[in-house]
Amino acid sequence: KDASATRQGRRAQAPAPARMFFDDKPKVNLRGKSSSSDRQLLLARAQRERDERQRQRALLRAALLLQSAARAHMALARAREAIRSEFDAAVDASLAQRVEPGVGGSLAAGFASLVRQLLFFHAAPLDDGRRTWLLGALVEALAAEAAAAPSSGLLRASLTPSLTASLVALCLQRLAAAAAGSAGSAASAGSP
């Protein structure tokens, strides 16, 4: 009887099933309800993060642009140096053979090629001697061509108007700079 009484006592002490679902513990709302100030702070933080990501993207684009410009500048400098070397080799070959410049045996094509090369790589103080030599050789070749066969004009025809205009513009720039330099030195020499 004692064992059955204790079993009945335990049953009597156990909570009622209906009460099990209605306990008095505080309820926690898990929906994420926040006050308006919390929402404003969250939105402000999200905006700051978006702005920072946008700033980082802009910095990355700027860095890529700078790197691209630097690589292009270096590639152009290498190409100019290579063309300058080709020009010097052609000039040295023509001076060694004591003939007018010619690429593929054609005087006209040789001068046109040299003019194009000079226009591509010309840098003011570095290439002044090359420009002077080419202009002198070109004038001599034109004079020789006019004296030998005035009607042929092969050399004159090989120098297209745009090529000639570019060469003249280059020479005029250098002449204007030289004139400005000599005028400035004459003015400073005249003042006591």
Side-chain angles (χ1 to χ4, degrees):
K1 287 186 175 183
D2 289 334
S4 66
T6 57
R7 275 191 227 138
Q8 287 177 352
R10 282 186 207 158
R11 284 187 195 155
Q13 291 176 355
R19 189 162 185 233
M20 181 171 24
F21 296 106
F22 299 105
D23 55 352
D24 294 333
K25 292 182 182 177
K27 295 187 180 193
V28 177
N29 187 352
L30 300 176
R31 288 189 307 170
K33 179 182 176 187
S34 61
S35 66
S36 63
S37 65
D38 290 345
R39 177 168 286 201
Q40 293 301 324
L41 290 173
L42 179 67
L43 291 175
R45 188 180 83 216
Q47 182 63 39
R48 281 193 309 272
E49 290 172 357
R50 277 193 299 274
D51 291 343
E52 179 63 23
R53 287 191 301 272
Q54 184 178 7
R55 189 180 72 76
Q56 290 296 328
R57 283 191 298 270
L59 285 174
L60 180 63
R61 279 192 303 269
L64 289 175
L65 183 65
L66 284 173
Q67 290 171 358
S68 174
R71 284 191 303 270
H73 178 74
M74 291 186 308
L76 183 59
R78 284 190 300 270
R80 284 184 172 154
E81 191 57 41
I83 298 297
R84 186 177 284 120
S85 297
E86 288 177 20
F87 179 91
D88 290 342
V91 168
D92 290 344
S94 71
L95 291 175
Q97 297 173 2
R98 294 279 195 214
V99 295
E100 297 299 327
V103 176
S106 168
L107 174 67
F111 271 116
S113 174
L114 289 176
V115 169
R116 280 189 202 93
Q117 288 175 345
L118 181 76
L119 290 173
F120 177 72
F121 68 75
H122 189 272
L126 179 64
D127 297 317
D128 285 346
R130 290 177 180 92
R131 185 190 69 245
T132 304
W133 177 87
L134 182 62
L135 289 174
L138 189 56
V139 167
E140 287 176 16
L142 285 170
E145 183 182 69
S151 62
S152 81
L154 289 176
L155 180 58
R156 195 171 303 135
S158 71
L159 297 174
T160 63
S162 64
L163 195 59
T164 305
S166 297
L167 184 61
V168 168
L170 176 68
C171 293
L172 288 177
Q173 288 173 356
R174 295 303 300 151
L175 288 173
S182 65
S185 64
S188 64
S191 62

